[in-house]
Amino acid sequence: MTNLFILLLLPLISAGVLAFVKNSQPAKIIALTLSLLQLAFTIPFLCQFVPDASVQFEQNYSWIESLGIHFHIGLDGISLPLVLLTNALMPLIVLSTFSKTYKGNLYALVAFMQAGLVLVFTALDAFTFYVGWEIALIPIYFICALWGEGDRIRVNLKFFVYTFLGSIFMLVAIIYLQQQTVNKDFEWSSFAALDLTGSVQRWIFWAFFLAFAIKIPLFPFHTWQPNTYTNAPTAGTMLLAGIMLKMGIYGLIRWLIPIAPEGVAEYGHIAMILAVIGIVYASIIAIQQKDIKRLIAYSSIAHVGLISAGVFAWNLQGLQGAMIQMINHGISVIGLFYVLDIIASKTGTRSLADLGGLAKRMPNLAIFFLIIVMGAVGLPLTNGFVGEFLLLMGVYKYGFWYAVFAGLTLILGAVYMLRLYQKSMLGPLKEQNSHVTDINGHEIVLLSIVVIAIIYIGVTPNGLLGLSEASVQQLLQQVKF
C-alpha cells in the first residue's frame, strides 16, 4: 500500500543526513540523489491516483488527543498537483546550485523546507496545516539571510515579520473555529461543515485572507517581495517563487473560501480588485526595471495576481486555470531565474544597461531563454497559454471589466519579457562581455527539462487538468455564494 507519510519522512531524513556533510561536492550529489528519490516515491501516488473527487491515501493519527489534534493527511485533485510540483522542482533547484560551493547545511535547509511544503499541501487538519505553514518559513529565512546578498538581513527580517504576523491572524481564526466544532477538533471537514453567522464569517475571511495574501503576495501586501527575491540566492528565489507562494493560493482554495463563503460573498470583490490592481501595477513597474532579477520578481506579482483573480472568480474555468497555472508558473519561473543567474555569473552584472548581444556568445542559452520567455508570455502551444486562457475566461464570467484589466497582463507581460530578451540577448555585444562562454553540462540538462515541460504541457494540458477537474467541480457544488 502506498504510504503518504514517506513523502514527509524522506525530506526530514535527507535534512538530517545533509546537515553533517561539510564538503561541497559530496553535498551536491547526495542532495540531488535524495531529491530524485523523493520524486521517484511521488510517482506511484500519481499513477495510482483515481481522478475523482475523493480524498485518497489518507492517514489519520491521533496527535494531541486532549486538544483534538490529529495528524491527518491525504491527497485529492487539488493537493496532488502541488505535491507533484514541489517534488519535481526540488531536483532542478538542487541542480541549479552545481556551479556554487554550497555545503550540506544549505541543502539540509532546502530538504527541511520541502517537508513543510508537502505537509501544507497534504494536511486535512488545520493544526497540522499550520505546523507545515510555519515549518516552511523557518528554513527559507535562513537560506536567504545566510546565503543572500546586499542588505539581506534587514530585507529578510521584513519578510519574516510580514509573513509571521499574517499567520498569527490565521492561527487565531483556527483556534476560534476549533472551539465551534461539535467534537472540538481541527478537521477540515468539521470547519467546512460549520454553520457560522455572516458576521463571524466576515472576520474569519480577513484573518485567513491576510495570511494568504501576504504569502502570495497580493497588492498591497507585496512590499516584502521584490527586495527579498532580489537579495536571495538563486536557489532561495526559486523556492520562494516556484513553490512557496503557491501555499497562499492553495490556502484560498482549500481553507478560506470553503470555510467563509459568506465572507467571500461580502468581500471577494475587494480581493478581486486588489488582484487586478496588482497585475497592472506590477507589470508597469516590471517594464521600468533595470535589474533583470528584480524585473522577474515584479512579473511574478503580476502572474500570481491573475491566478488569484481566477480563484476569486469561483467558477470552473477560473479554478482550473488557477490549478494549472500554479504548475506553469513554477516551471517557468525556475527557468527564468536560472537563466538570469547564468547571465549574472558569466557577465558579473544584472543591469540591463550592461548587457546586450549575448546571443552571439551564448547561442544555446539564447534558444532556451527564448522558449522560456514564450511560455511566460503565454504563446500558444506553450504551458502558459492554456492557463492564462482559462483564467481570463473565468474572470470574464465574473465581470467584463475585471477581465479587461486582467487581460492587460498579456500585453504588458509581452512588453517587459520581450524587452528583457532584446536588451540582454540581441543587439551589439558589449566589449566587457566578449569573454563569456555558452552553457554546457548540468546547465543544458536543467534548461532542457524546463523547456520540455513548457512544450509538453502546452501541447497536452489535459493530463494536469484531468487531475483536478473532479475535485474542483465538487468544491464548486459544495461552496456557493
Side-chain angles (χ1 to χ4, degrees):
M1 182 179 176
T2 310
N3 192 318
L4 188 57
F5 191 68
I6 190 68
L7 296 186
L8 295 168
L9 185 61
L10 183 57
L12 293 177
I13 294 173
S14 301
V17 170
L18 289 162
F20 295 98
V21 182
K22 302 301 181 183
N23 295 323
S24 176
Q25 195 61 31
K28 296 172 188 175
I29 301 300
I30 295 170
L32 180 61
T33 303
L34 291 172
S35 64
L36 287 171
L37 186 62
Q38 173 82 346
L39 177 58
F41 277 121
T42 309
I43 302 303
F45 293 96
L46 180 64
C47 295
Q48 297 176 30
F49 183 77
V50 179
D52 58 19
S54 65
V55 177
Q56 300 164 45
F57 314 109
E58 273 190 271
Q59 292 181 269
N60 193 350
Y61 308 105
S62 180
W63 189 1
I64 308 176
E65 193 171 351
S66 60
L67 298 177
I69 297 172
H70 286 248
F71 188 84
H72 188 188
I73 55 176
L75 290 174
D76 66 357
I78 295 170
S79 54
L80 177 60
L82 292 166
V83 171
L84 181 62
L85 175 73
T86 301
N87 292 338
L89 291 187
M90 283 298 175
L92 298 181
I93 293 171
V94 172
L95 190 60
S96 74
T97 66
F98 266 43
S99 59
K100 315 292 183 183
T101 56
Y102 298 136
K103 298 179 182 178
N105 48 5
L106 178 131
Y107 298 109
L109 289 170
V110 170
F112 188 62
M113 182 178 177
Q114 184 176 14
L117 291 164
V118 172
L119 185 58
V120 165
F121 296 136
T122 57
L124 297 171
D125 174 280
F127 185 84
T128 306
F129 172 80
Y130 186 79
V131 169
W133 185 270
E134 295 301 339
I135 282 177
L137 174 62
I138 297 167
I140 193 61
Y141 169 78
F142 285 107
I143 289 170
C144 295
L146 296 177
W147 288 277
E149 58 186 31
D151 192 12
R152 61 186 186 276
I153 301 301
R154 182 188 63 82
V155 165
N156 284 286
L157 182 62
K158 179 180 180 180
F159 158 61
F160 185 88
V161 170
Y162 259 56
T163 51
F164 185 73
L165 284 178
S167 64
I168 292 296
F169 291 108
M170 179 171 66
L171 179 61
V172 171
I174 288 172
I175 294 171
Y176 174 85
L177 291 167
Q178 184 259 354
Q179 292 297 308
Q180 310 310 308
T181 60
V182 174
N183 298 319
K184 296 293 186 287
D185 59 52
F186 290 87
E187 290 290 306
W188 177 87
S189 56
S190 299
F191 283 15
L194 287 172
D195 185 19
L196 302 171
T197 65
S199 60
V200 169
Q201 289 196 37
R202 285 191 283 274
W203 79 259
I204 292 289
F205 169 89
W206 286 112
F208 276 100
F209 179 76
L210 284 173
F212 299 148
I214 290 169
K215 188 77 77 175
I216 292 171
L218 284 178
F219 176 91
F221 309 103
H222 68 286
T223 55
W224 63 267
Q225 190 256 39
N227 287 334
T228 304
Y229 279 28
T230 304
N231 289 282
T234 298
T237 309
M238 289 177 174
L239 287 166
L240 285 165
I243 310 171
M244 192 172 183
L245 68 80
K246 277 67 177 188
M247 291 166 53
I249 301 170
Y250 174 80
L252 297 176
I253 300 171
R254 173 68 77 208
W255 294 95
L256 186 151
I257 296 177
I259 292 171
E262 288 188 40
V264 179
E266 182 76 20
Y267 300 119
H269 68 284
I270 296 177
M272 178 68 82
I273 291 170
L274 293 178
V276 172
I277 290 174
I279 292 169
V280 179
Y281 164 81
S283 296
I284 293 171
I285 299 296
I287 292 171
Q288 300 174 341
Q289 292 305 304
K290 295 177 175 61
D291 183 302
I292 54 178
K293 197 174 182 184
R294 199 172 182 85
L295 187 157
I296 299 302
Y298 275 104
S299 80
S300 184
I301 297 174
H303 281 96
V304 296
L306 181 58
I307 296 172
S308 302
V311 172
F312 281 105
W314 203 247
N315 52 50
L316 181 61
Q317 291 79 11
L319 275 180
Q320 280 287 76
M323 288 304 304
I324 194 169
Q325 197 64 0
M326 279 193 280
I327 308 297
N328 294 333
H329 177 264
I331 294 168
S332 296
V333 83
I334 289 287
L336 286 169
F337 278 120
Y338 189 54
V339 168
L340 301 188
D341 180 62
I342 291 171
I343 291 173
S345 62
K346 289 181 178 291
T347 64
T349 182
R350 293 203 311 250
S351 173
L352 274 177
D354 296 327
L355 300 174
L358 293 179
K360 294 181 175 65
R361 299 289 302 167
M362 311 170 80
N364 292 331
L365 179 66
I367 293 169
F368 285 121
F369 192 13
L370 181 62
I371 296 172
I372 295 169
V373 165
M374 293 299 100
V377 301
L379 191 76
L381 301 182
T382 66
N383 62 342
F385 175 75
V386 64
E388 291 192 348
F389 180 81
L390 287 170
L391 286 168
L392 289 174
M393 185 183 293
V395 175
Y396 177 81
K397 287 190 172 185
Y398 183 88
F400 172 77
W401 287 109
Y402 290 106
V404 169
F405 286 101
L408 290 174
T409 187
L410 301 177
I411 301 168
L412 298 175
V415 171
Y416 60 71
M417 291 305 299
L418 293 176
R419 173 178 173 267
L420 169 64
Y421 187 85
Q422 183 231 330
K423 294 280 188 181
S424 59
M425 292 289 122
L426 306 180
L429 178 68
K430 297 291 175 64
E431 185 178 348
Q432 66 265 30
N433 297 326
S434 59
H435 66 283
V436 298
T437 56
D438 207 356
I439 55 174
N440 54 45
H442 70 275
E443 297 166 335
I444 291 178
V445 172
L446 194 159
L447 292 174
S448 295
I449 294 170
V450 170
V451 164
I452 289 169
I454 286 171
I455 296 172
Y456 180 78
I457 295 173
V459 175
T460 59
N462 286 338
L464 283 176
L465 292 172
L467 283 179
S468 58
E469 185 174 3
S471 294
V472 165
Q473 285 182 331
Q474 184 186 61
L475 201 55
L476 288 169
Q477 290 169 2
Q478 291 174 343
V479 183
K480 296 180 180 179
F481 47 83

